[in-house]
């Protein structure tokens, strides 16, 4: 689609067609290519691309957590239990994680821009359709949430790799930080938007109609302003092995990368903790305040969603920005700094979450304070985790690596955490009086699983630190080797391929 992308399967042009020269005066850390037939993009357009991808990611996470912002209203409307409510998040994440490897495989081989456009169009259409579901069809809402996962899988696996192909070094870390700020900020805005629109209209269905309408507008920005750069462009990677390796070869490569494995397990622990916190925290805080009262008040629910959403937005900016800053400074002194920062974030978040859960009934303000610090420590990880993956995995397998990591972190993380917390809560409450006290107490004991998982996640990141230097050197060496090519004879013709293809 764009000149110089030249990344379709079956293309046998010599690797020199991927050659590039950095334009004098280009912004440090950004990529600009020139020359006949080569990919060309200015630093200004590169920043525009990041802004568009950030906005789409923001809308994705707003859509995910609008449901959590109006969860109490949804439970009342459909008359469903905690475990059934948790399924709304579980079915979405399950479809998302099952299809992520497929889109990761396609993203390493076909036009990434087209794949993202298809996914976003599906996401907008299904989300809008889900907003018209009536009281008798809760199962249909579950189906719609499952299809939303299909749309998002295509985007989340591919967008970070495009940023990686436009920036290098510290600039890439900062651009990824901007992109991943959309996770906590979008989540927080989802709570705020959901509760505010519901309060304004008196109907939670309207809250689900905002993001798909804005998403269709951003869809056109993606079509006209976002390019499809050559894979590995920012590292001057000249070859394109994506048409030469199979899905099993890619998977075998990733499963021998210990940094990738341990960091993915650590990401799963982050996902489990943040997923459970994001989905259940507003409802838990509401029930903490109403534990000794005979009735619940919807106004309290809206207020808790608004406050929790605002905290999530602020902690996202602070935590991800601090993580990028720490990474930049500490990597100069210690090459293992990235996983060590992630480990410290997880281990520090655990006591904060533990105290927030225990003190919520006694002092809601104190609970908010500890949630604030706990979310900051959790947010330290997001951009750093993404950067680790990008520099320990070779460029032409990054979409696949993103997809496999997404699958791992969701299978072991937020795909199950919201349902597990709800199911444990229902099990504890079974046979107990149906009172506000037991609604709160059962959810409190279920929630205590999160601080424990955070400690385990810290251990996984410590294991990552043990292997990161070796795996980073291996990935860098493969990129360098790929610039050397050999000719492989075939039955009727021959093909010029990089040495890295043969060695991998």
């Amino acid at each position: 689609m764009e000149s110089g992308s030249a990344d379709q399967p079956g293309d046998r042009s010599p690797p020199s067609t991927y050659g590039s020269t950095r334009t004098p005066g280009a912004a440090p850390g950004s990529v600009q290519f020139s020359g006949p037939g080569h990919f060309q993009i200015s630093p200004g357009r590169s920043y525009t691309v990041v802004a568009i991808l950030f906005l789409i990611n923001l809308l994705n996470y707003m859509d995910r957590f609008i449901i959590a912002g109006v969860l109490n209203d949804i439970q009342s409307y459909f008359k469903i239990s905690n475990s059934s409510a948790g399924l709304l998040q579980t079915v979405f994440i399950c479809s998302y994680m099952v299809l992520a490897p497929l889109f990761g495989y396609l993203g390493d081989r076909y036009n990434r821009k087209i794949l993202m456009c298809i996914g976003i169009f599906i996401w907008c259409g299904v989300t809008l359709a889900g907003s018209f579901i009536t009281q008798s069809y809760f199962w249909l809402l579950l189906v719609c949430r499952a299809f939303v996962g299909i749309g998002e899988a295509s985007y989340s696996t591919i967008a970070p790799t495009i940023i990686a192909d436009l920036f290098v070094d510290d600039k890439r870390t900062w651009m990824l930080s901007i992109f991943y700020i959309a996770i906590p900020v979008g989540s927080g805005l989802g709570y705020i938007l959901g509760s505010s629109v519901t309060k304004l209209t008196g109907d939670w269905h309207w809250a689900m109609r905002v993001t798909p309408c804005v998403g269709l507008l951003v869809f056109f920005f993606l079509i006209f302003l976002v390019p499809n750069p050559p894979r590995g462009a920012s590292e001057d990677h000249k070859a394109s092995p994506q048409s030469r390796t199979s899905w099993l070869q890619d998977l075998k490569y990733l499963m021998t990368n210990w940094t990738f494995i341990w960091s993915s397990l650590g990401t799963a622990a982050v996902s489990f903790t943040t997923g459970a916190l994001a989905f259940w925290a507003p409802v838990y805080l509401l029930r903490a305040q109403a534990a000794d009262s005979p009735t619940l008040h919807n106004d309290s629910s809206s207020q808790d969603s608004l406050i929790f959403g605002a905290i999530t937005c602020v902690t996202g900016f602070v935590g991800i920005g601090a993580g990028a800053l720490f990474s930049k400074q500490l990597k100069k002194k210690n090459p293992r700094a990235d996983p060590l920062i992630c480990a410290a974030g997880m281990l520090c978040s655990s006591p904060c979450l533990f105290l927030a859960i225990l003190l919520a009934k006694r002092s809601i303000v104190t609970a908010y304070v500890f949630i604030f610090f706990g979310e900051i420590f959790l947010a330290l990880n997001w951009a750093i985790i993404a950067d680790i993956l990008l520099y320990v995995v070779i460029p032409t397998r990054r979409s696949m690596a993103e997809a496999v990591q997404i699958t791992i972190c969701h299978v072991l993380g937020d795909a199950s955490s919201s349902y597990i917390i709800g199911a444990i809560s229902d099990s504890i409450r079974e046979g107990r009086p149906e009172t506000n006290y037991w609604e709160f107490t059962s959810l409190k004991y279920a929630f205590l699983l999160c601080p424990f998982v955070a400690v385990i996640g810290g251990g996984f990141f410590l294991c990552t630190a043990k292997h990161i230097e070796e795996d980073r050197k291996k990935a860098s060496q493969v990129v360098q080797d790929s610039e050397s090519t050999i000719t492989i004879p075939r039955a009727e013709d021959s093909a010029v391929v990089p040495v890295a293809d043969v060695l991998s």
Side-chain angles (χ1 to χ4, degrees):
M1 184 171 293
E2 286 77 20
S3 63
S5 60
D7 55 7
Q8 301 303 321
D11 177 38
R12 293 176 182 171
S13 55
S16 59
T17 61
Y18 285 91
S20 59
T21 57
R22 295 186 185 277
T23 302
S30 64
V31 178
Q32 188 177 20
F33 300 91
S34 61
H38 295 305
F39 177 78
Q40 300 181 43
I41 185 170
S42 67
R45 191 181 177 193
S46 296
Y47 296 132
T48 301
V49 170
V50 174
I52 293 170
L53 296 179
F54 164 81
L55 184 56
I56 298 172
N57 207 29
L58 187 77
L59 291 172
N60 280 342
Y61 278 89
M62 286 175 64
D63 176 72
R64 290 191 195 188
F65 291 100
I66 281 176
I67 292 288
V70 296
L71 187 59
N72 199 54
D73 298 274
I74 291 176
Q75 285 189 272
S76 300
Y77 182 81
F78 288 107
K79 297 179 174 58
I80 55 175
S81 65
N82 288 343
S83 55
S84 295
L87 282 175
L88 287 169
Q89 189 77 342
T90 298
V91 295
F92 159 73
I93 297 297
C94 284
S95 67
Y96 176 56
M97 70 185 183
V98 167
L99 286 166
L102 171 62
F103 282 107
Y105 180 84
L106 297 175
D108 282 332
R109 289 157 178 79
Y110 297 96
N111 190 297
R112 292 175 288 181
K113 179 174 175 177
I114 293 176
L115 292 170
M116 287 194 297
C117 287
I118 292 172
I120 292 170
F121 187 79
I122 292 174
W123 161 64
C124 291
V126 176
T127 300
L128 188 61
S131 69
F132 293 96
I133 293 174
T134 56
Q135 193 170 9
S136 303
Y137 296 95
F138 176 70
W139 64 270
L140 190 56
L141 181 61
L142 292 176
V143 172
C144 286
R145 296 306 294 174
F147 275 93
V148 169
I150 296 175
E152 289 200 25
S154 67
Y155 178 78
S156 298
T157 56
I158 294 173
T161 69
I162 290 181
I163 295 176
D165 290 334
L166 297 178
F167 299 92
V168 293
D169 303 327
D170 291 339
K171 184 71 71 173
R172 175 191 287 173
T173 302
W174 282 109
M175 293 302 105
L176 287 170
S177 298
I178 292 172
F179 179 77
Y180 282 105
I181 280 175
I183 295 178
V185 174
S187 303
L189 290 177
Y191 296 119
I192 295 171
L193 180 67
S195 59
S196 299
V197 173
T198 299
K199 187 175 182 179
L200 181 65
T201 62
D203 185 356
W204 62 269
H205 291 86
W206 283 100
M208 295 178 61
R209 294 167 187 165
V210 178
T211 52
C213 293
V214 179
L216 289 173
L217 176 63
V218 180
F219 174 79
F220 291 103
F221 292 160
L222 177 64
I223 292 176
F224 295 110
L225 297 177
V226 175
N228 181 41
R231 293 164 178 83
S234 60
E235 291 103 337
D236 290 326
H237 183 57
K238 297 179 181 179
S240 181
Q242 68 273 11
S243 61
R244 316 296 182 189
T245 58
S246 68
W247 187 88
L248 287 177
Q249 286 176 305
D250 290 354
L251 191 61
K252 180 181 178 181
Y253 164 79
L254 294 174
M255 291 301 103
T256 58
N257 188 320
W258 283 105
T259 297
F260 173 80
I261 293 172
W262 287 117
S263 64
S264 296
L265 292 174
T267 306
V270 177
S271 181
F272 186 100
T273 306
T274 56
L277 186 67
F279 195 79
W280 286 113
V283 172
Y284 177 73
L285 294 171
L286 165 66
R287 294 178 182 178
Q289 296 172 78
D292 297 325
S293 302
T295 59
L296 291 174
H297 301 285
N298 288 331
D299 288 343
S300 296
S301 177
S302 297
Q303 191 71 14
D304 287 319
S305 292
L306 287 170
I307 296 173
F308 186 78
I311 288 175
T312 303
C313 289
V314 173
T315 55
F317 274 112
V318 175
I320 291 180
L325 183 61
F326 291 155
S327 174
K328 179 181 179 180
Q329 297 299 322
L330 296 179
K331 273 194 295 189
K332 299 175 183 178
K333 302 176 181 179
N334 187 346
R336 299 179 179 182
D338 280 350
L340 292 177
I341 293 170
C342 292
M346 292 297 286
L347 295 174
C348 290
S349 70
S350 180
C352 293
L353 297 178
F354 180 78
L355 292 172
I357 293 168
L358 289 186
L359 298 176
K361 183 174 179 291
R362 182 177 301 177
S363 172
I364 198 68
V365 175
T366 303
Y368 277 128
V369 170
F370 281 112
I371 287 175
F372 179 86
F373 286 107
E375 289 197 339
I376 285 180
F377 290 127
L378 288 171
L380 290 175
N381 299 313
W382 289 114
I384 297 177
I385 290 170
D387 205 18
I388 289 173
L389 181 147
L390 292 171
Y391 63 64
V392 300
V393 175
I394 61 175
T396 51
R397 284 169 171 161
R398 285 173 179 166
S399 288
M400 184 65 176
E402 290 279 356
V404 173
Q405 187 171 90
I406 284 173
T407 301
I408 292 172
C409 81
H410 290 312
V411 167
L412 302 177
D414 56 356
S416 55
S417 64
S418 58
Y419 176 78
I420 288 173
I421 298 299
I424 293 175
S425 174
D426 286 344
S427 177
I428 294 173
R429 200 175 67 251
E430 187 176 358
R432 309 283 185 179
E434 294 186 4
T435 62
N436 287 334
Y437 173 80
W438 279 109
E439 286 279 345
F440 160 73
T441 302
S442 61
L443 192 55
K444 179 181 75 173
Y445 289 133
F447 237 151
L448 289 174
L449 182 62
C450 291
F452 176 74
V453 172
V455 173
I456 295 176
F460 288 143
F461 284 120
L462 291 176
C463 292
T464 304
K466 182 179 179 181
H467 300 277
I468 194 166
E469 289 183 88
E470 179 184 356
D471 289 331
R472 185 171 189 171
K473 289 177 182 178
K474 286 181 180 178
S476 178
Q477 186 62 48
V478 170
V479 171
Q480 294 175 18
D481 291 343
S482 68
E483 296 181 1
S484 303
T485 60
I486 60 176
T487 301
I488 296 180
R490 296 182 177 177
E492 299 178 355
D493 56 6
S494 62
V496 178
V497 299
V499 172
D501 278 9
V502 180
L503 297 178
S504 61

